[in-house]
Amino acid sequence: MWKEATFGNRRVLEREWRGCLTLLSASPYHESSMSNSSIPIKKEDLSNSGPRVRFAPSPTGFLHVGSARTFIFNWLYARRNAGTMVLRLDDTDVERNTDASVQSIFEGLKWLDLRWDEEYKQSERLTLHQKTAWEIFEKGMAYRDFTPAHTGEVEKSGTQGTWLFNPGVRELSRDESDRRAAAGEPFALRFRVPRDTGEEVRFSDAVYGEQRKLAEDIEDFALLRSDGMPTYHLASCADDIDLRITHVIRGQDHLTNTFKHVLIFEAAGGKTPQFAHLPLLVAPDGTKLSKRRHGPIVSVTTYRDAGFLPEAFINFLCLLGWSPKNDREQMSLEELKELFSLEGINRANAVINFKEPASTPEEMFDPKAVWLNAEHIRALPIEELSARLLPVVQQAGYPIDAAQMLKITPLVRERIQLTRDVLTVADFLLVNQLPPYDPAELVPQKGDAAMAKRVLEKARSVLATTEFKHDPLDQVLRAAAQELGIKAGQMFQPIRVAVCGRKNAPPLFETLEVLGREKTLVRIEQAIGKL
RNA sequence: GGCGCUAUCGUCUAGGGGUUAGGACGGAAGAUUCUCAAUCUUCAAACCCGGGUUCGAUUCCCGGUAGCGCUACCA
């Protein structure tokens, strides 16, 4: 049933009898570093009788946060219901699709680390689409439109604005239509939408409920372009039928398109899937997210690079337009998988509350996303968090090993919101030489430079012999404060600044323990020199 | 313009014919350990407008308004 074929430089498998079910071999699913690198090429699993859902991005840019959410909801639905997740690249728009975009989408999905079960590329299934279109034509439910392609935008600038069909062209006789086609005259194939019959197109949406629309309000949309390429509507439906998609979960911007799709499903004799439309993600100004207007904040990789944990990002996206209805906010992937249901999906658009003119990188994100990320960071076991922080620190150029990272991690865990924050919170533990700081910082509350100097000199002498562990350090330094006749805080602050280069830092004893005697004494010495 | 969808604190949301309209983020104030963070407590903050149905509507219905979407040989 399966044979190898070659499309471009990609090795693919195709179904012999139709040549339309094409599976790719190059995707993050396979590249995944997870386990064995030679995962067999995926095939349609006919033994799984659960729901089949698909994520169908069109590769015209990077992976958008809205698309990511759609992917996540589909994935959650499939996993929740023991179904199958299909990834389909809807790349029928040759003009706008780029390979870089395909890579970029894979890059985003790879970070999310949610796997799909089957993968298809629409441009390799053109024969199926065309076959479907011509079947509809043969049934008399589509017609050739020989009108030259027009620039649609101009057309609708007129005040009546309503284009439904070009009068006359629908009524062209089959004979004449065939003759002109045979003569090589270019044409688009259009769906013959029922007119003047009072017919209603209806479907039931899992989120928006019963939907109905007068057929005569639907325009005669194109199925095939004059170059023979299928349009999105046709390709999407033909593929959904062929791939036996049972649930179409997608953005609400397709809600009105669905009436056309129902028409195609019925004309093609396919089973109409269950639809569930998702409320759109919009910018704080209420407009649709766009890269041009809103910048990198709409790209998934921006979140990755800023230090979001994928599970926190997923958690955040899930909360936009969906609710478990039990006041839960922070949820693990497992919990999401258990709690997710289409009933919990909201109907109103959700604002993703980022700062329009991105001030500091940290402030540009939706505060809730940042908070959730911090929650997920704190929920991680130390070893796990340490393992995630290590590459961040290493990529920043610090020659640190896993053992050192594990010691530093407890000090930063409650002080970072994004993983990248480790670089600013633990900076003094990563460098040999502290960056310059203001000596005035060394002066304790209600004290003066002389007191700072006495504190540091005292510290220098006691720390030379004390064991560098939390409890002994605690004891010795408190005793020292008493000897000097000052408060513990007045004792700790100059040391903290001497060692960390700033006033706000992790607790002192733990810090000294991690830093070690040698560096501590050097830094105290340097601080004394500044006074 | 036509068609469709939506409307609860600043934001994400719960709720639903009678509630002090709940939670979370963010904001403010306070408690707390050596600073910071974390944690805890408290406070401010919402049912778009107008009709109708009803003993009673934020909730149900209609209208308005606003926002969004579709209206391409884009997806």
Side-chain angles (χ1 to χ4, degrees), chain A residues 513-526:
Chain A
E513 186 176 330
V514 172
L515 191 63
R517 189 195 312 275
E518 195 186 326
K519 280 188 186 169
T520 300
L521 290 177
V522 168
R523 290 182 188 183
I524 287 177
E525 196 60 51
Q526 286 169 339

Side-chain angles (χ1 to χ4, degrees), chain A residues 125 209 282 324 372 462 485 493 513:
Chain A
R125 303 162 54 80
V282 296
L372 264 175
V462 279
Q493 198 63 3
E513 186 176 330

Side-chain angles (χ1 to χ4, degrees), chain A residues 71-73 75-77 79-80 111-115 309-316 318 322 328-340 376 379-380 388:
Chain A
F71 177 90
I72 292 164
F73 282 12
W75 186 89
L76 250 16
Y77 188 80
R79 294 297 172 257
R80 175 74 183 84
W111 176 62
L112 257 24
D113 199 27
L114 304 176
R115 314 298 184 77
L309 261 24
E311 61 267 44
F313 180 69
I314 290 167
N315 190 168
F316 170 65
C318 283
W322 173 78
R328 285 294 304 279
E329 301 267 357
Q330 201 251 101
M331 287 166 278
S332 68
L333 234 207
E334 281 305 310
E335 289 170 320
L336 287 170
K337 233 194 296 185
E338 262 170 55
L339 295 166
F340 185 78
H376 279 268
L380 248 29
R388 304 241 206 159

Side-chain angles (χ1 to χ4, degrees), chain A residues 10-11 24-31 102-103 106 119:
Chain A
R10 282 192 151 148
R11 237 184 76 245
L24 304 187
S25 61
S27 83
Y29 184 95
H30 304 291
E31 290 162 8
V102 174
Q103 291 316 312
F106 279 163
E119 184 177 311

Side-chain angles (χ1 to χ4, degrees), chain A residues 4 63 86 111 138 227 235 244 261 292 303 309 332 350-351 358-359 366 369 385 394 457 467 473 499 511 519:
Chain A
E4 260 192 49
L63 183 67
V86 171
W111 176 62
E138 288 303 332
D227 62 2
R244 298 168 19 254
H261 297 178
R292 207 172 60 78
Y303 291 79
L309 261 24
S332 68
V351 172
S359 25
D366 189 318
L385 177 59
Q394 287 176 333
E457 283 167 350
E467 187 191 359
L473 287 166
V499 159
T511 301
K519 280 188 186 169

Side-chain angles (χ1 to χ4, degrees), chain A residues 470-491:
Chain A
H470 180 283
D471 291 354
L473 287 166
D474 186 331
Q475 270 179 355
V476 164
L477 291 175
R478 280 181 200 280
Q482 217 159 27
E483 277 178 49
L484 293 177
I486 58 175
K487 290 184 176 170
Q490 291 177 307
M491 180 80 203

